[in-house]
Amino acid sequence: QVQLVESGGGLVQAGDSLKLSCAASGRTMSSYVMGWFRQAPGKEREFVVAISQSASRTYYGDSVKGRFTISRDNAKSTVNLQMNSLKPEDTAVYYCAAVGGFTLATRWHDYNYWGQGTQVTVSS
């Protein structure tokens, strides 16, 4: 299995940028599709983005397309999420997730490994 730890969350103003990181340990990260989800109070967990094992393919949720960018470095066992042009609607706890056997999975129940989450708050 793989253990995931997110970092980089914080408080920013609308229009600002923020970079989240996910550090993986355990089995080789290249074995997994990696994804980011987010969850705001009172709302369901929402798909943000997924990236394939080799980083050759990515898929973004409609709400973040054009603003967020995912990247991965398998040698360093890290996954990053660069968030630009942040909006108050982006406020949520952001979770890093991993799954084997799927290509660009977008459903939360398809992922079987999760980080503890990092809070992102965007003020208006």
Side-chain angles (χ1 to χ4, degrees), residues 7-9 18-22 36 79-81 83 94 118 120:
S7 63
L18 200 61
K19 184 179 180 180
L20 305 183
S21 295
C22 175
W36 287 93
V79 179
N80 297 319
L81 181 65
M83 305 184 294
Y94 283 71
T118 185
V120 173

Side-chain angles (χ1 to χ4, degrees), residues 18-31:
L18 200 61
K19 184 179 180 180
L20 305 183
S21 295
C22 175
S25 62
R27 292 192 171 182
T28 305
M29 195 187 73
S30 61
S31 299

Side-chain angles (χ1 to χ4, degrees), residues 3-124:
Q3 294 78 45
L4 307 173
V5 180
E6 304 95 334
S7 63
L11 174 64
V12 298
Q13 296 182 351
D16 286 352
S17 297
L18 200 61
K19 184 179 180 180
L20 305 183
S21 295
C22 175
S25 62
R27 292 192 171 182
T28 305
M29 195 187 73
S30 61
S31 299
Y32 300 92
V33 168
M34 304 297 297
W36 287 93
F37 288 76
R38 64 186 184 184
Q39 188 166 25
K43 295 185 178 181
E44 295 183 346
R45 188 166 298 185
E46 177 188 14
F47 170 76
V48 177
V49 63
I51 186 168
S52 63
Q53 292 93 328
S54 64
S56 61
R57 299 183 300 279
T58 58
Y59 188 80
Y60 293 87
D62 291 338
S63 63
V64 305
K65 192 176 301 181
R67 299 188 298 121
F68 291 9
T69 303
I70 190 172
S71 62
R72 68 189 295 166
D73 187 334
N74 290 333
K76 296 181 179 180
S77 297
T78 58
V79 179
N80 297 319
L81 181 65
Q82 178 65 49
M83 305 184 294
N84 298 326
S85 302
L86 284 163
K87 305 174 181 179
E89 307 92 270
D90 296 319
T91 296
V93 176
Y94 283 71
Y95 297 92
C96 179
V99 61
F102 292 88
T103 300
L104 302 182
T106 62
R107 300 174 298 179
W108 67 267
H109 53 83
D110 287 332
Y111 289 81
N112 47 11
Y113 301 104
W114 293 86
Q116 83 290 344
T118 185
Q119 177 70 48
V120 173
T121 302
V122 184
S123 62
S124 60

